[in-house]
Amino acid sequence: MVKVKTRFAPSPTGFLHIGGLRTALFAFLFARHNNGDFILRIEDTDQTRFVEGALEDIIESLKWIGISWNEGPDIGGPHGPYLQSERKTIYKDHAYDLVKSGHAYKCFCTQNRLGALREEQKKKGIYPVYDRHCRQLSQEEILRHEKKDDPFVIRLKIPEEGEIIFEDYIRGKIITANSTLDDIILLKSDGFPTYHLANVVDDHLMGITHVIRGEEWIPSTPRHIILYNAFGWKPPVFSHVPVILAQGGGKLSKRHGVTMVKQFRQKGFLNEAVLNFITLLGWSLDDKTELFSMKELIEHFDLDRVNKAPAVFSYEKLNWFNGVYIRNKKYNDLYDLLIPFLIQGGILKEEESARYQEYVLKIIPLIQERLKYLSDVSDLTWFFFDDHFCIKDRHALIQKKHTKKDAIRILENTVEKLQSVTHFQTGELENVLRDLIKDLGLKPGSVFMTIRVAITGTKVSPGLFETMCVLGKDRVIKRLKEAKEIVINIE
Ligand code: GLU
């Protein structure tokens, strides 16, 4: 039995998006499920499309979700280098080997000739293909071009007849007539390989047993198989995973919402939630189990249960997963995750975060249920921090049907009652405030609202007694007194 080996082979033409991540994940899970290896290879031969920072982003995003590789550009390995731009001579040598063995040929056609050919074909209403002009060149003609140093590309000789049949692991048999295929370019005139050549040569040299990639590559596969045959190599098993559609149809794109892994991370999605959600885009275990950890995915994932039909990306579903994972977090773990967001939100300064550890750990149980994204933390907690606390709407201190005097009475009496509280705990606070309501003879909801606005600055906050406990007696009394002054000054 040959050890399974898969790869993820992105081109650094942009930041990693959710579709690429899903492809990487399927390849990774399949390898790990079969005790195999998974490698990362960067297909950067098209230097014109290279995007600064994309490589770093790909690596960071894969690591964030929990994918690791046995060989790759950052860690090396026995089949390196893993950046195709550093493997130019390998591809060149292979292209020349094919010319020598008669499976490929040099094409000296100029851009002018190719342009004119395309125009002519367009006019005739035929799909533009290379007319194989140079495939028939005589030895003398080739020599003549070579003597003049005419630029050339190397093209693959596609068999004129017959068909290519391959068994896609997910989709079954796919048949392509050779007559529909073009003599593709393998090596460009600048000596750089095309995707087809570099991809096939590397998959072979790196020992890839299973190619798992997006379905947009299906048309390339028959060409790749012809290349494998030309080299005399055994092709790997091909599996093409379905596209990801947006709800309501159409390929998922940025007009539907965030699509880059980095953006999900910045918004405060948990990696476990994204991992779980993404794997279920096109795969399922039994149509009912929804929650999977990485360990469980490795245990269960197989390509047999990958759908042929497109997967539909639902932001609501992803939000649901995020909520579930946030609610399942231990306070300490959530603390580690939230601190960067509190710093980024300007609530805490990096250097003071350690000092606030105990305090933030007390706040977390109060907001855990209400966090949809980690980035919500600032909006839910700012009033716990004196530097940020303020009462935005002063009038919210006076409830409907209350007079200014009522509000002042509430605030004054609350201060008085709280001052005598020795155990500033929810149970005792509740008793004391219930007594207060009796004394005041006002509706509890309205009394509590005035207190809430006074100590949190807002009408919506976590439970009043719990919030008071976290804020502490001194701070609560100080805020109530300040609120009273504010009410007195309201015209
Ligand atoms: N470099 C290709 C891409 O960017 C790889 C396709 C494949 O996996 O063969 O998706």
Side-chain angles (χ1 to χ4, degrees):
M1 272 281 281
V2 188
K3 190 176 186 186
V4 166
K5 192 169 187 185
T6 64
R7 47 53 165 193
F8 179 49
S11 301
T13 53
F15 290 176
L16 189 63
H17 56 81
I18 218 76
L21 181 69
R22 204 258 328 241
T23 304
L25 193 58
F26 281 12
F28 167 77
L29 291 173
F30 183 74
R32 293 288 182 259
H33 176 75
N34 291 290
N35 295 316
D37 284 347
F38 169 74
I39 73 169
L40 176 64
R41 178 178 78 228
I42 303 298
E43 303 208 324
D44 60 344
T45 54
D46 190 350
Q47 301 276 316
T48 56
R49 294 175 59 220
F50 185 82
V51 167
E52 201 59 54
L55 172 59
E56 292 73 16
D57 176 74
I58 290 168
I59 291 182
E60 206 181 324
S61 300
L62 294 176
K63 283 188 177 166
W64 177 70
I65 207 84
I67 294 179
S68 57
W69 40 98
N70 301 82
E71 301 166 33
D74 53 338
I75 52 171
H79 306 286
Y82 296 90
L83 288 177
Q84 287 190 328
S85 56
E86 293 173 7
R87 300 170 62 83
K88 261 175 78 181
T89 46
I90 300 177
Y91 310 125
K92 205 165 178 176
D93 291 349
H94 278 85
Y96 277 92
D97 284 350
L98 288 185
V99 174
K100 243 182 263 156
S101 66
H103 290 97
Y105 61 94
K106 288 184 180 177
C107 168
F108 299 94
C109 288
T110 59
Q111 285 308 325
N112 277 348
R113 177 175 187 276
L114 295 174
L117 176 66
R118 259 196 303 273
E119 277 309 306
E120 201 185 302
Q121 287 170 332
K122 248 202 242 157
K123 255 189 238 151
K124 286 188 192 150
I126 29 180
Y127 188 74
V129 284
Y130 179 56
D131 62 357
R132 298 181 170 164
H133 175 263
C134 290
R135 190 160 159 164
Q136 282 94 18
L137 291 185
S138 66
Q139 216 38 51
E140 293 77 55
E141 283 170 305
I142 295 172
L143 275 173
R144 197 161 44 77
H145 279 298
E146 285 177 345
K147 269 212 188 104
K148 284 199 292 173
D149 249 348
D150 285 339
F152 64 90
V153 299
I154 291 180
R155 287 183 186 269
L156 177 66
K157 274 188 194 166
I158 298 281
E160 276 165 279
E161 282 163 14
E163 55 196 16
I164 290 293
I165 304 176
F166 75 95
E167 193 68 29
D168 188 289
Y169 203 105
I170 296 169
R171 287 147 200 278
K173 199 170 272 180
I174 297 184
I175 306 175
T176 313
N178 287 334
S179 58
T180 62
L181 302 175
D182 205 353
D183 278 0
I184 49 164
I185 296 176
L186 301 176
L187 200 71
K188 295 185 260 186
S189 53
D190 59 6
F192 269 95
T194 57
Y195 153 71
H196 301 296
L197 177 67
N199 186 271
V200 165
V201 167
D202 283 350
D203 279 345
H204 175 74
L205 295 181
M206 295 178 181
I208 301 305
T209 59
H210 293 74
V211 164
I212 297 165
R213 59 184 170 202
E215 71 173 322
E216 66 274 23
W217 299 102
I218 292 178
S220 297
T221 305
R223 296 166 169 91
H224 292 184
I225 292 175
I226 294 172
L227 252 177
Y228 278 98
N229 294 343
F231 281 120
W233 298 336
K234 182 173 173 276
V237 177
F238 291 96
S239 314
H240 292 92
V241 301
V243 278
I244 300 177
L245 299 182
Q247 268 176 322
K251 223 178 147 182
L252 184 73
S253 71
K254 46 175 184 268
R255 75 195 155 87
H256 300 108
V258 294
T259 55
M260 287 188 295
V261 180
K262 189 197 184 112
Q263 296 170 314
F264 287 100
R265 208 167 67 213
Q266 284 168 345
K267 184 138 177 82
F269 281 97
L270 296 188
N271 51 1
E272 295 104 314
V274 175
L275 167 74
N276 196 150
F277 170 74
I278 289 291
T279 317
L280 294 180
L281 285 178
W283 176 83
S284 65
L285 176 66
D286 52 14
D287 299 322
K288 57 175 197 287
T289 316
E290 288 201 292
L291 297 178
F292 295 92
S293 65
M294 181 62 104
K295 198 166 153 263
E296 289 161 338
L297 288 174
I298 291 174
E299 190 183 324
H300 297 298
F301 184 86
D302 211 338
L303 291 169
D304 300 349
R305 292 200 56 90
V306 172
N307 274 328
K308 280 191 222 135
V312 178
F313 190 102
S314 152
Y315 285 95
E316 289 99 84
K317 189 80 198 184
L318 176 56
N319 287 342
W320 178 80
F321 275 111
N322 209 41
V324 170
Y325 280 92
I326 288 180
R327 286 193 291 279
N328 285 341
K329 279 270 167 226
K330 293 204 189 80
Y331 298 148
N332 277 319
D333 296 334
L334 202 49
Y335 169 83
D336 290 337
L337 291 165
L338 289 173
I339 283 295
F341 286 91
L342 283 170
I343 292 171
Q344 197 188 302
I347 301 293
L348 281 184
K349 292 195 193 70
E350 190 149 12
E351 59 278 14
E352 62 188 11
S353 63
R355 188 154 49 87
Y356 278 95
Q357 180 169 5
E358 213 182 306
Y359 189 55
V360 174
L361 274 168
K362 279 195 211 155
I363 299 173
I364 288 175
L366 274 57
I367 57 152
Q368 184 170 24
E369 287 285 322
R370 296 167 61 213
L371 277 174
K372 204 160 148 199
Y373 313 111
L374 299 175
S375 58
D376 291 340
V377 68
S378 300
D379 282 347
L380 294 176
T381 63
W382 57 273
F383 53 82
F384 282 104
F385 300 88
D386 289 334
D387 287 352
H388 298 272
F389 174 74
C390 67
I391 294 172
K392 288 186 186 129
D393 175 13
R394 300 177 309 152
H395 296 276
L397 287 164
I398 307 170
Q399 306 315 311
K400 251 194 241 154
K401 294 194 187 149
H402 279 191
T403 60
K404 214 170 119 171
K405 260 205 183 117
D406 291 329
I408 295 171
R409 260 179 75 222
I410 296 170
L411 294 165
E412 260 175 9
N413 282 281
T414 313
V415 170
E416 200 177 303
K417 285 263 181 216
L418 292 181
Q419 253 151 359
S420 61
V421 174
T422 44
H423 295 290
F424 212 74
Q425 302 298 341
T426 45
E428 192 160 346
L429 288 174
E430 188 163 358
N431 290 338
V432 167
L433 293 182
R434 298 265 173 223
D435 275 354
L436 169 84
I437 283 165
K438 267 191 235 141
D439 297 353
L440 291 171
L442 296 170
K443 283 214 173 96
S446 308
V447 173
F448 288 152
M449 187 53 90
T450 294
I451 301 175
R452 184 187 299 275
V453 174
I455 66 167
T456 70
T458 65
K459 287 183 172 178
V460 206
S461 75
L464 185 59
F465 308 124
E466 290 81 357
T467 304
M468 288 170 93
C469 284
V470 171
L471 286 169
K473 186 169 169 178
D474 294 347
R475 198 186 266 120
V476 168
I477 288 176
K478 183 168 168 268
R479 288 186 184 182
L480 288 166
K481 285 181 177 168
E482 282 166 6
K484 191 184 104 184
E485 292 309 311
I486 292 173
V487 176
I488 289 172
N489 289 318
I490 291 177
E491 297 304 309

